[in-house]
Amino acid sequence: MPHCDIENLTCSVLVDGLPLPEFGLEESINDKGQRQYKCWVPSEAGKEFTVNVQGNKNERYKTRLALVVDGQSVRAHNVPEQKPVRNPTAFSHSIEGRRVTQTSILPMVFSLAQTTDDDTYLNASNPHLGSITLSVSLSISQVMPSNTRPSFVEHSLGGPVHERDKKGGKHSVSFGARRVAAKSRLSKTIGYARQDFVTFTFAYRSIDELQANGIAPAVEPTDTKPLILDLTVGSDDEKTEEARLRRISKLQVQLKREREGLDVIRGRKRVKREPSTTTVPSTSREVIDLT
């Protein structure tokens, strides 16, 4: 996964609690000295995902995260204090979706992109479709009074894509059904010690698109010859305990070979690292943090 030595930060996209494979990792530093990491991940329509970030706790400043999906702001907030404190010097935090109230969120879901033949969308498609970007800052914040009434914006992601548009992929991100979440604390960012000092961008595409473009290796056909285990017993000599142990040993070797062949097939599905051309969308900043 992308790793930044500053604050020992790592970031990944999780599906079913496991990080998606990443490939084509690129690292760069822009003219402002900000670190940028870009890579590709395979997406599967209908799967919820979260964005996880881990790193060292800063003793003086809050770690602020700003998540942008398909070019639209999803959430911007400080990493909350974890109770009980498992590690006083490090943190691990996952963004599950858009906060719509202090006690509920809309989860993020990989979905099939909506296509249209309406030519008004031909040159007006979202140039950031197919990207997940997380920016990290060190902020100076103050806790808001408990009677503060925050405003939440509940909007949709994605939108129609022209069927001839090749900039995006077959997938986009949408929001799932609202669900209960831990109550957030409100804080206000009043300044930055380091703003957007590192940005992680994940370009997501379906696995067949990645394979078609040579980014992910295609699965090669395999020998489907059925496994036949000979369990018949021959002469009286083969009925002895020693003979049966020999037969069991042979069968175990045969099963081991089949398992190794299965591991080879699964290994071919792993993605390899190739250059990426993903761009990092600009992110807007919210004043109220929902942590």
Side-chain angles (χ1 to χ4, degrees), residues 18-60:
L18 299 175
L20 290 176
E22 302 158 355
F23 48 97
L25 177 63
E26 289 185 348
E27 304 177 17
S28 61
I29 302 178
N30 63 17
D31 54 1
K32 296 181 180 180
Q34 298 164 330
R35 304 284 185 95
Q36 298 176 333
Y37 299 84
K38 308 174 188 178
C39 64
W40 297 85
V41 293
S43 54
E44 182 179 348
K47 286 288 189 179
E48 287 188 14
F49 70 90
T50 61
V51 178
N52 177 265
V53 62
Q54 302 178 27
N56 295 336
K57 292 180 180 179
N58 191 282
E59 295 181 356
R60 296 183 59 189

Side-chain angles (χ1 to χ4, degrees), residues 87-192:
N87 188 331
T89 62
F91 71 88
S92 176
H93 178 66
S94 290
I95 302 177
E96 299 180 346
R98 167 167 279 277
R99 177 76 65 169
V100 288
T101 71
Q102 280 190 270
T103 56
S104 64
I105 63 167
L106 298 177
M108 300 175 291
V109 184
F110 288 124
S111 308
L112 294 175
Q114 298 178 347
T115 58
T116 179
D117 58 1
D118 186 346
D119 287 345
T120 58
Y121 289 94
L122 182 57
N123 297 315
S125 61
N126 182 357
H128 303 305
L129 185 67
S131 65
I132 302 167
T133 298
L134 182 76
S135 298
V136 185
S137 304
L138 294 178
S139 69
I140 304 170
S141 305
Q142 63 183 24
V143 177
M144 300 294 288
S146 58
N147 61 351
T148 301
R149 301 190 63 180
S151 60
F152 297 93
V153 179
E154 186 171 344
H155 63 72
S156 60
L157 288 173
V161 177
H162 198 278
E163 58 188 8
R164 298 200 305 271
D165 188 355
K166 304 299 183 182
K167 294 179 181 178
K170 296 180 180 179
H171 290 169
S172 62
V173 173
S174 60
F175 289 127
R178 181 185 300 197
R179 67 176 178 222
V180 176
K183 186 175 181 180
S184 63
R185 295 183 60 191
L186 304 180
S187 61
K188 180 179 180 181
T189 298
I190 58 178
Y192 291 95

